[in-house]
PDB file of all heavy atoms in Angstrom:
ATOM      1  N   ASN A  43     -46.405 -71.495 -21.673  1.00 87.00           N
ATOM      2  CA  ASN A  43     -45.845 -72.602 -22.404  1.00 87.00           C
ATOM      3  C   ASN A  43     -44.364 -72.774 -22.511  1.00 87.00           C
ATOM      4  O   ASN A  43     -43.781 -73.328 -23.439  1.00 87.00           O
ATOM      5  CB  ASN A  43     -46.411 -72.629 -23.867  1.00 87.00           C
ATOM      6  CG  ASN A  43     -46.808 -74.048 -24.242  1.00 87.00           C
ATOM      7  OD1 ASN A  43     -47.316 -74.758 -23.454  1.00 87.00           O
ATOM      8  ND2 ASN A  43     -46.464 -74.387 -25.528  1.00 87.00           N
ATOM      9  N   GLY A  45     -42.476 -73.923 -19.836  1.00 90.00           N
ATOM     10  CA  GLY A  45     -42.030 -74.940 -18.963  1.00 90.00           C
ATOM     11  C   GLY A  45     -42.032 -74.657 -17.522  1.00 90.00           C
ATOM     12  O   GLY A  45     -41.346 -75.353 -16.764  1.00 90.00           O
ATOM     13  N   LYS A  46     -42.655 -73.530 -17.155  1.00 91.00           N
ATOM     14  CA  LYS A  46     -42.737 -73.201 -15.796  1.00 91.00           C
ATOM     15  C   LYS A  46     -43.266 -74.302 -14.974  1.00 91.00           C
ATOM     16  O   LYS A  46     -42.801 -74.765 -13.870  1.00 91.00           O
ATOM     17  CB  LYS A  46     -43.581 -71.960 -15.576  1.00 91.00           C
ATOM     18  CG  LYS A  46     -43.034 -70.673 -16.067  1.00 91.00           C
ATOM     19  CD  LYS A  46     -43.918 -69.523 -15.933  1.00 91.00           C
ATOM     20  CE  LYS A  46     -45.382 -69.666 -16.439  1.00 91.00           C
ATOM     21  NZ  LYS A  46     -45.341 -69.772 -17.837  1.00 91.00           N
ATOM     22  N   SER A  47     -44.497 -74.900 -15.402  1.00 86.00           N
ATOM     23  CA  SER A  47     -45.143 -75.804 -14.618  1.00 86.00           C
ATOM     24  C   SER A  47     -44.368 -77.094 -14.426  1.00 86.00           C
ATOM     25  O   SER A  47     -44.420 -77.805 -13.436  1.00 86.00           O
ATOM     26  CB  SER A  47     -46.473 -76.161 -15.165  1.00 86.00           C
ATOM     27  OG  SER A  47     -47.296 -74.952 -15.144  1.00 86.00           O
ATOM     28  N   VAL A  48     -43.618 -77.444 -15.580  1.00 87.00           N
ATOM     29  CA  VAL A  48     -42.703 -78.675 -15.526  1.00 87.00           C
ATOM     30  C   VAL A  48     -41.662 -78.432 -14.405  1.00 87.00           C
ATOM     31  O   VAL A  48     -41.393 -79.332 -13.570  1.00 87.00           O
ATOM     32  CB  VAL A  48     -42.144 -78.998 -16.788  1.00 87.00           C
ATOM     33  CG1 VAL A  48     -41.207 -80.154 -16.750  1.00 87.00           C
ATOM     34  CG2 VAL A  48     -43.181 -79.242 -17.842  1.00 87.00           C
ATOM     35  N   ASP A  86     -46.012 -70.804  -8.787  1.00 91.00           N
ATOM     36  CA  ASP A  86     -46.008 -70.925 -10.288  1.00 91.00           C
ATOM     37  C   ASP A  86     -46.874 -69.816 -10.791  1.00 91.00           C
ATOM     38  O   ASP A  86     -48.153 -69.974 -10.858  1.00 91.00           O
ATOM     39  CB  ASP A  86     -46.476 -72.303 -10.625  1.00 91.00           C
ATOM     40  CG  ASP A  86     -46.404 -72.536 -12.095  1.00 91.00           C
ATOM     41  OD1 ASP A  86     -45.704 -71.785 -12.801  1.00 91.00           O
ATOM     42  OD2 ASP A  86     -46.959 -73.533 -12.575  1.00 91.00           O
ATOM     43  N   LEU A  87     -46.330 -68.694 -11.222  1.00 90.00           N
ATOM     44  CA  LEU A  87     -47.226 -67.534 -11.629  1.00 90.00           C
ATOM     45  C   LEU A  87     -47.818 -67.825 -13.021  1.00 90.00           C
ATOM     46  O   LEU A  87     -47.188 -68.631 -13.778  1.00 90.00           O
ATOM     47  CB  LEU A  87     -46.268 -66.290 -11.790  1.00 90.00           C
ATOM     48  CG  LEU A  87     -45.795 -65.606 -10.581  1.00 90.00           C
ATOM     49  CD1 LEU A  87     -44.874 -64.542 -10.765  1.00 90.00           C
ATOM     50  CD2 LEU A  87     -46.990 -65.171  -9.669  1.00 90.00           C
ATOM     51  N   PRO A  88     -48.911 -67.277 -13.231  1.00 87.00           N
ATOM     52  CA  PRO A  88     -49.588 -67.524 -14.584  1.00 87.00           C
ATOM     53  C   PRO A  88     -48.703 -67.005 -15.739  1.00 87.00           C
ATOM     54  O   PRO A  88     -47.940 -66.041 -15.441  1.00 87.00           O
ATOM     55  CB  PRO A  88     -50.902 -66.704 -14.518  1.00 87.00           C
ATOM     56  CG  PRO A  88     -50.760 -65.754 -13.385  1.00 87.00           C
ATOM     57  CD  PRO A  88     -49.750 -66.340 -12.413  1.00 87.00           C
ATOM     58  N   GLY A  89     -48.736 -67.578 -16.841  1.00 88.00           N
ATOM     59  CA  GLY A  89     -47.931 -67.185 -18.058  1.00 88.00           C
ATOM     60  C   GLY A  89     -48.303 -65.901 -18.567  1.00 88.00           C
ATOM     61  O   GLY A  89     -49.488 -65.600 -18.747  1.00 88.00           O
TER      62      GLY A  89
HETATM   63 MG1   MG C   2     -48.226 -73.578 -16.399  1.00 86.75          MG
END
Side-chain angles (χ1 to χ4, degrees):
Chain A
N43 223 40
K46 293 180 299 300
S47 298
V48 175
D86 186 13
L87 289 173

